[in-house]
Amino acid sequence: MSQGKFQNKYRISSIRAQWWDYGWNGAYFITICTQDRKHYFGEIQNDKMVLSEVGIIADILWHQIPIHHKNVELGDFVVMPNHIHGILIIDKKLNNTNIVETGHALSVPPSEIFQKLGSNRFQNIGKNTISSIVGSYKSAVTKHANRLGYPHQWQKLFYDNIIRDNNQYQRISDYIVSNPENWVKDKFKTEET
């Protein structure tokens, strides 16, 4: 990653694929870590995630993403002690613009119940790109954690992977679902101090 100057400040150039529009239809594997990999979200006990208060907020607000972002569906998702993994699916209705065939099976659209629930908890919802969706999610979690007095900070960047086919989608889904039972060998695992 190279650094460039923007408004007289050094910044890291984008880690996103320059050849891809992150508002295009597709499935995206997202990982968001906490600052310094602190265990804000809970702990693993007997190969199961036990959520803290902030972990509950992170879980609930992830499931509300489709309410606040049009044409976004959720794949598998897990909250871990210091990060979250999830699949976001952008599925804009076909209108011959920005259509990219990714070869994955899209999930069933969110139920009408979830579309009608909730208020406008998320910010920056107009763009419907992966960056705007993740940014508004992170902001909402931080806002609600702070409002309730729970300590929490995100790492500035997040990881994404464009899912290219059904096999990759299934491998990632399996990885997400089994993440708590594989915590001891997780690359994001840190010891809580």
Side-chain angles (χ1 to χ4, degrees):
M1 246 180 288
S2 64
Q3 288 190 349
K5 259 190 167 182
F6 175 73
Q7 296 180 344
N8 280 336
K9 295 179 183 174
Y10 283 97
R11 64 179 183 82
I12 298 172
S13 61
S14 176
I15 58 172
R16 310 280 165 252
Q18 300 302 308
W19 49 271
W20 186 264
D21 180 334
Y22 284 84
W24 283 344
N25 282 2
Y28 302 86
F29 173 41
I30 306 299
T31 300
I32 314 170
C33 295
T34 60
Q35 184 68 37
D36 300 323
R37 306 261 168 93
K38 285 194 158 198
H39 292 205
Y40 291 117
F41 298 138
E43 60 184 333
I44 302 292
Q45 293 178 0
N46 300 322
D47 294 338
K48 302 231 183 292
M49 182 62 191
V50 178
L51 296 173
S52 67
E53 291 84 355
V54 178
I56 292 168
I57 293 168
D59 185 77
I60 289 170
L61 292 180
W62 183 269
H63 288 93
Q64 289 188 355
I65 288 173
I67 298 167
H68 302 284
H69 295 276
K70 291 174 75 170
N71 305 313
V72 176
E73 301 170 17
L74 304 177
D76 284 309
F77 169 72
V78 67
V79 177
M80 296 296 289
N82 61 3
H83 65 281
I84 64 104
H85 289 303
I87 296 175
L88 293 175
I89 302 162
I90 297 179
D91 186 21
K92 297 175 187 169
K93 303 310 168 219
L94 301 178
N95 64 359
N96 295 330
T97 59
N98 289 343
I99 303 304
V100 174
E101 196 54 51
T102 60
H104 71 282
L106 295 176
S107 65
V108 178
S111 72
E112 290 182 33
I113 295 170
F114 286 114
Q115 290 176 351
K116 293 177 184 174
L117 290 176
S119 61
N120 195 7
R121 287 180 173 68
F122 289 64
Q123 300 173 3
N124 197 18
I125 60 172
K127 291 184 176 181
N128 235 40
T129 64
I130 291 302
S131 289
S132 67
I133 294 165
V134 170
S136 64
Y137 166 75
K138 287 170 64 174
S139 175
V141 171
T142 300
K143 175 183 166 186
H144 289 286
N146 289 343
R147 180 177 61 81
L148 295 169
Y150 301 127
H152 169 71
Q153 283 187 308
W154 291 109
Q155 164 178 300
K156 293 206 183 311
L157 300 175
F158 66 94
Y159 304 95
D160 69 75
N161 184 358
I162 304 162
I163 301 174
R164 302 188 195 296
D165 59 41
N166 281 330
N167 289 336
Q168 186 180 29
Y169 187 96
Q170 192 57 55
R171 276 192 313 275
I172 290 169
S173 287
D174 293 345
Y175 172 79
I176 291 170
V177 170
S178 65
N179 209 226
E181 62 195 51
N182 293 317
W183 176 240
V184 294
K185 55 187 175 188
D186 193 296
K187 72 178 182 179
F188 295 105
K189 183 180 187 299
T190 58
E191 296 302 322
E192 189 64 2
T193 57

